[in-house]
Amino acid sequence: MNNKHALVIFPHPDDESFGASGIISKFRSEGVPVTYLCGTLGEMGRNMGNPVFANRETLSTFRKRELEEAARQLDINVELLGYRDKTLEFEPIESLAADLKKRIQSHRASVVITHYPGYAVHPDHDALAAAVIKAVEQIDPGERPEVWMHAISNGHEEKLGEPDLIFDIAPYWDKKEAAIRAHLSQADGMMQLIENHDQRNEQLQRLKRESFYRWTLSTT
Ligand SMILES: [Zn+2]
């Protein structure tokens, strides 16, 4: 596939590193530019680092810096959408979609990576992903990027079947680890897992494979 520009659209700083930094690194190694449209600064998150180094007032500043570091590790651009954490589900989907459509078109995206609405565990994930799909639906078929959707919820394969795209991201593991590590306030538990090298750990194994469902326009 001939990709010109990949857009990654998730609501929180760290979604890109946990969910897509392997495929992001693969794109970068092929010379494909990648831009992360990050919906919020995750300022309502509960994790404040271990030992604790942030509070509710300072968390957004830290998370912005962490995201900048992750972006440096992954060699990608970041565009902050400026929405408020934990409120995306209350934004009118039409206005979110209009905002996203403009950005998708101005970047001339050939592929957009987002969550799978309804299978993404967090209301912000589901809401932003639903708006991405709505945005792409409104683009002329000839200019539409592909949409790759990342499902997270337990047991999603039983409902959705095998993902359409499965990437073994072992060749990019160092990049993924560095990107996750950059999210100091969020990544503590995961870094311990990674450092323990527990090969049987399911969570860790899941990180080493990135899989996506391809969205197809419904005709109904
Ligand atoms: Zn998230």
Side-chain angles (χ1 to χ4, degrees):
M1 182 181 153
N2 194 12
N3 272 308
K4 309 263 178 339
H5 193 164
L7 280 191
V8 177
I9 310 180
F10 292 133
H12 308 120
D14 79 1
D15 290 333
E16 82 299 339
S17 292
F18 284 110
S21 53
I23 186 68
I24 287 171
S25 302
K26 182 173 187 298
F27 278 135
R28 293 302 299 122
S29 75
E30 294 161 358
V32 177
V34 177
T35 301
Y36 179 31
L37 306 188
C38 184
T40 79
L41 284 174
E43 67 273 14
M44 299 301 283
R46 272 181 299 220
N47 295 331
M48 305 288 174
N50 181 19
V52 170
F53 57 79
N55 60 45
R56 268 284 152 77
E57 279 67 47
T58 61
L59 187 59
S60 65
T61 314
F62 280 105
R63 294 200 69 176
K64 195 169 164 202
R65 252 184 256 155
E66 291 170 359
L67 178 57
E68 284 163 6
E69 174 58 16
R72 202 177 63 79
Q73 294 291 343
L74 295 173
D75 190 27
I76 62 174
N77 298 311
V78 174
E79 209 170 289
L80 300 172
L81 303 186
Y83 294 101
R84 293 211 34 95
D85 191 19
K86 299 219 162 117
T87 67
L88 281 167
E89 61 183 311
F90 307 114
E91 293 282 337
I93 187 168
E94 289 76 16
S95 63
L96 274 178
D99 181 13
L100 293 167
K101 181 187 170 194
K102 242 186 289 159
R103 295 173 193 266
I104 290 167
Q105 288 185 309
S106 76
H107 286 292
R108 307 170 80 68
S110 52
V111 60
V112 173
I113 294 175
T114 190
H115 287 114
Y116 198 132
Y119 296 91
V121 173
H122 188 299
D124 277 350
H125 295 175
D126 287 330
L128 191 61
V132 169
I133 304 244
K134 204 171 188 56
V136 173
E137 274 174 351
Q138 292 169 8
I139 296 173
D140 290 339
E143 290 166 28
R144 243 175 235 157
E146 283 198 15
V147 181
W148 297 0
M149 304 179 297
H150 176 48
I152 308 174
S153 58
N154 286 332
H156 65 261
E157 287 200 14
E158 284 149 36
K159 295 222 176 78
L160 301 170
E162 276 265 300
D164 302 304
L165 302 154
I166 300 174
F167 298 99
D168 170 13
I169 57 106
Y172 311 103
W173 179 249
D174 288 355
K175 291 265 176 206
K176 182 157 189 164
E177 189 178 329
I180 291 174
R181 195 186 294 275
H183 291 286
L184 273 181
S185 69
Q186 309 301 308
D188 180 57
M190 197 52 79
M191 287 321 298
Q192 274 179 13
L193 266 180
I194 290 172
E195 275 153 23
N196 290 341
H197 296 294
D198 181 355
Q199 296 305 330
R200 286 156 308 173
N201 184 281
E202 208 180 302
Q203 236 182 330
L204 188 55
Q205 291 314 310
R206 231 187 286 162
L207 279 183
K208 297 198 171 179
R209 196 188 85 146
E210 291 180 7
S211 60
F212 303 93
Y213 293 88
R214 255 202 196 102
W215 171 78
T216 40
L217 181 64
S218 64
T219 46
T220 50

Short mmCIF file of all heavy atoms in Angstrom, two decimals, residues 10-16 36 63 85 115 120 122 124-125 152, ligand 1:
data_model
loop_
_atom_site.label_atom_id
_atom_site.label_comp_id
_atom_site.label_asym_id
_atom_site.label_seq_id
_atom_site.Cartn_x
_atom_site.Cartn_y
_atom_site.Cartn_z
N PHE A 10 -6.23 9.75 18.59
CA PHE A 10 -6.67 9.17 19.86
C PHE A 10 -6.88 10.33 20.85
O PHE A 10 -6.35 11.42 20.64
CB PHE A 10 -5.60 8.24 20.43
CG PHE A 10 -5.35 6.97 19.67
CD1 PHE A 10 -4.03 6.58 19.37
CD2 PHE A 10 -6.38 6.11 19.28
CE1 PHE A 10 -3.75 5.40 18.70
CE2 PHE A 10 -6.11 4.93 18.60
CZ PHE A 10 -4.81 4.57 18.32
N PRO A 11 -7.61 10.08 21.95
CA PRO A 11 -7.87 11.21 22.86
C PRO A 11 -6.77 11.55 23.87
O PRO A 11 -6.76 12.67 24.38
CB PRO A 11 -9.15 10.79 23.61
CG PRO A 11 -9.28 9.35 23.43
CD PRO A 11 -8.49 8.94 22.23
N HIS A 12 -5.90 10.62 24.19
CA HIS A 12 -5.00 10.87 25.34
C HIS A 12 -3.52 10.74 24.97
O HIS A 12 -3.16 9.87 24.17
CB HIS A 12 -5.28 9.87 26.46
CG HIS A 12 -6.73 9.80 26.85
ND1 HIS A 12 -7.46 8.65 26.75
CD2 HIS A 12 -7.57 10.76 27.29
CE1 HIS A 12 -8.72 8.89 27.15
NE2 HIS A 12 -8.80 10.17 27.47
N PRO A 13 -2.68 11.56 25.63
CA PRO A 13 -1.25 11.32 25.52
C PRO A 13 -0.98 9.95 26.15
O PRO A 13 -1.38 9.74 27.29
CB PRO A 13 -0.61 12.42 26.40
CG PRO A 13 -1.69 13.43 26.64
CD PRO A 13 -2.99 12.69 26.55
N ASP A 14 -0.41 9.07 25.48
CA ASP A 14 -0.01 7.68 25.79
C ASP A 14 -0.80 6.65 24.97
O ASP A 14 -0.32 5.55 24.74
CB ASP A 14 0.01 7.31 27.29
CG ASP A 14 -1.37 6.99 27.92
OD1 ASP A 14 -2.39 7.02 27.20
OD2 ASP A 14 -1.39 6.74 29.13
N ASP A 15 -2.00 7.02 24.48
CA ASP A 15 -2.74 6.07 23.62
C ASP A 15 -1.89 5.68 22.42
O ASP A 15 -1.90 4.53 21.98
CB ASP A 15 -4.05 6.71 23.11
CG ASP A 15 -5.10 6.89 24.20
OD1 ASP A 15 -5.09 6.14 25.19
OD2 ASP A 15 -5.93 7.82 24.06
N GLU A 16 -1.19 6.68 21.86
CA GLU A 16 -0.37 6.41 20.66
C GLU A 16 0.78 5.45 20.98
O GLU A 16 1.11 4.60 20.17
CB GLU A 16 0.17 7.74 20.09
CG GLU A 16 1.42 8.35 20.72
CD GLU A 16 1.28 8.71 22.21
OE1 GLU A 16 0.14 8.87 22.68
OE2 GLU A 16 2.31 8.80 22.90
N TYR A 36 0.28 12.83 14.97
CA TYR A 36 -0.64 12.39 16.01
C TYR A 36 -1.57 13.54 16.37
O TYR A 36 -1.13 14.57 16.87
CB TYR A 36 0.15 11.94 17.25
CG TYR A 36 -0.75 11.48 18.40
CD1 TYR A 36 -1.98 10.88 18.15
CD2 TYR A 36 -0.35 11.62 19.73
CE1 TYR A 36 -2.80 10.45 19.19
CE2 TYR A 36 -1.16 11.18 20.78
CZ TYR A 36 -2.39 10.61 20.50
OH TYR A 36 -3.20 10.19 21.52
N ARG A 63 1.94 15.90 31.29
CA ARG A 63 1.55 14.98 30.22
C ARG A 63 1.87 15.56 28.84
O ARG A 63 2.19 14.84 27.91
CB ARG A 63 0.07 14.61 30.35
CG ARG A 63 -0.16 13.81 31.63
CD ARG A 63 -1.44 13.02 31.61
NE ARG A 63 -1.40 11.91 30.66
CZ ARG A 63 -2.39 11.04 30.53
NH1 ARG A 63 -3.47 11.15 31.28
NH2 ARG A 63 -2.29 10.06 29.66
N ASP A 85 -10.30 16.55 28.80
CA ASP A 85 -10.28 15.14 29.14
C ASP A 85 -11.60 14.72 29.78
O ASP A 85 -12.19 15.46 30.54
CB ASP A 85 -9.13 14.91 30.14
CG ASP A 85 -8.82 13.44 30.36
OD1 ASP A 85 -9.22 12.62 29.51
OD2 ASP A 85 -8.17 13.12 31.37
N HIS A 115 -9.42 4.37 17.44
CA HIS A 115 -9.99 3.24 18.15
C HIS A 115 -11.19 2.66 17.39
O HIS A 115 -11.71 3.28 16.45
CB HIS A 115 -10.44 3.67 19.55
CG HIS A 115 -9.32 3.92 20.50
ND1 HIS A 115 -9.04 5.17 21.01
CD2 HIS A 115 -8.38 3.09 21.03
CE1 HIS A 115 -7.99 5.09 21.82
NE2 HIS A 115 -7.57 3.85 21.85
N ALA A 120 -13.61 0.10 22.70
CA ALA A 120 -12.38 0.80 23.08
C ALA A 120 -12.33 1.16 24.57
O ALA A 120 -11.49 1.94 24.99
CB ALA A 120 -12.21 2.05 22.22
N HIS A 122 -12.92 3.04 26.97
CA HIS A 122 -13.05 4.35 27.62
C HIS A 122 -14.01 5.22 26.79
O HIS A 122 -13.91 5.23 25.56
CB HIS A 122 -11.65 4.97 27.66
CG HIS A 122 -11.53 6.22 28.45
ND1 HIS A 122 -12.22 7.37 28.14
CD2 HIS A 122 -10.78 6.52 29.53
CE1 HIS A 122 -11.90 8.32 29.00
NE2 HIS A 122 -11.03 7.81 29.86
N ASP A 124 -14.10 8.36 26.16
CA ASP A 124 -13.37 9.27 25.27
C ASP A 124 -12.89 8.56 24.01
O ASP A 124 -12.93 9.10 22.90
CB ASP A 124 -12.12 9.85 25.97
CG ASP A 124 -12.43 11.05 26.86
OD1 ASP A 124 -13.56 11.57 26.81
OD2 ASP A 124 -11.52 11.46 27.61
N HIS A 125 -12.39 7.34 24.19
CA HIS A 125 -11.90 6.55 23.03
C HIS A 125 -13.05 6.31 22.04
O HIS A 125 -12.90 6.52 20.84
CB HIS A 125 -11.37 5.19 23.47
CG HIS A 125 -10.15 5.24 24.35
ND1 HIS A 125 -9.61 4.11 24.92
CD2 HIS A 125 -9.37 6.26 24.76
CE1 HIS A 125 -8.55 4.44 25.63
NE2 HIS A 125 -8.38 5.75 25.55
N ILE A 152 -9.89 -2.68 21.90
CA ILE A 152 -9.18 -2.98 23.15
C ILE A 152 -9.97 -3.91 24.07
O ILE A 152 -9.38 -4.69 24.81
CB ILE A 152 -8.92 -1.68 23.96
CG1 ILE A 152 -8.24 -0.62 23.09
CG2 ILE A 152 -8.06 -1.96 25.18
CD1 ILE A 152 -8.08 0.71 23.81
ZN ZN B 1 -6.71 6.73 26.28
#
